[in-house]
Amino acid sequence: MKKLFAGGLMLLSSVAQAAEIEVYRDPSCGCCHAWIEHLEENGFEVTDHVTSQVVALKQELGVSPALRSCHTAVYKGIFIEGHVPASDILALDDTSDLRGLAVPGMPVGSPGMEMGDRHDAYHVIAVGADGSQRVYSEH
């Protein structure tokens, strides 16, 4: 019984721990706040960096111009570009061969870009360590 109780406490402790993510955004961006709220509502502890050097960061991280959006984040050493859903970011725990995830542009209905019932279909693109790209998820 004691083993079961201790195991349960360990599980609760790991679930209660927030996932940490660093978000970099331009001072003039409005939708980034809504995306950050989405992350926080899904258990992320967000460090918000307001900077006019977001494009330089994207270049440093290897985010190609075709994949870019308004904000960039870093989670466990992996870049997160644009309005990627929190569930896709959390699924990265089992994926170690990626350089990043991206939602190019600003699709309506993606987290932070909600507009009532309107929802445009979009893909989350995975970027491999070798720069290759594939569809990671569809929304």
Side-chain angles (χ1 to χ4, degrees):
M1 182 69 164
K2 286 183 182 180
K3 277 186 178 181
L4 181 60
F5 180 72
L9 282 178
M10 286 175 49
L11 177 62
L12 283 175
S13 160
S14 66
V15 169
Q17 225 173 29
E20 296 178 9
I21 191 166
E22 304 275 330
V23 176
Y24 300 85
R25 63 180 179 87
D26 190 90
S28 64
C29 184
C31 64
C32 299
H33 290 289
W35 187 67
I36 288 171
E37 288 176 8
H38 164 75
L39 294 176
E40 291 172 338
E41 290 167 359
N42 284 278
F44 282 91
E45 182 177 308
V46 177
T47 302
D48 183 12
H49 302 279
V50 180
T51 177
S52 59
Q53 301 300 314
V54 178
V55 173
L57 175 69
K58 292 172 191 300
Q59 291 171 332
E60 182 182 323
L61 293 171
V63 181
S64 72
L67 295 178
R68 292 183 185 169
S69 184
C70 56
H71 53 262
T72 303
V74 177
Y75 174 69
K76 296 187 175 188
I78 298 169
F79 75 74
I80 308 298
E81 180 66 16
H83 295 267
V84 177
S87 58
D88 288 342
I89 300 168
L90 290 169
L92 286 171
D93 290 338
D94 298 327
T95 307
S96 61
D97 65 335
L98 293 182
R99 181 186 299 167
L101 292 180
V103 172
M106 299 168 69
V108 173
S110 61
M113 291 298 297
E114 293 88 354
M115 295 182 97
D117 292 336
R118 185 171 164 208
H119 185 276
D120 295 342
Y122 67 94
H123 294 132
V124 175
I125 306 298
V127 179
D130 62 357
S132 63
Q133 298 178 14
R134 65 177 170 81
V135 174
Y136 183 78
S137 65
E138 299 179 8
H139 296 274

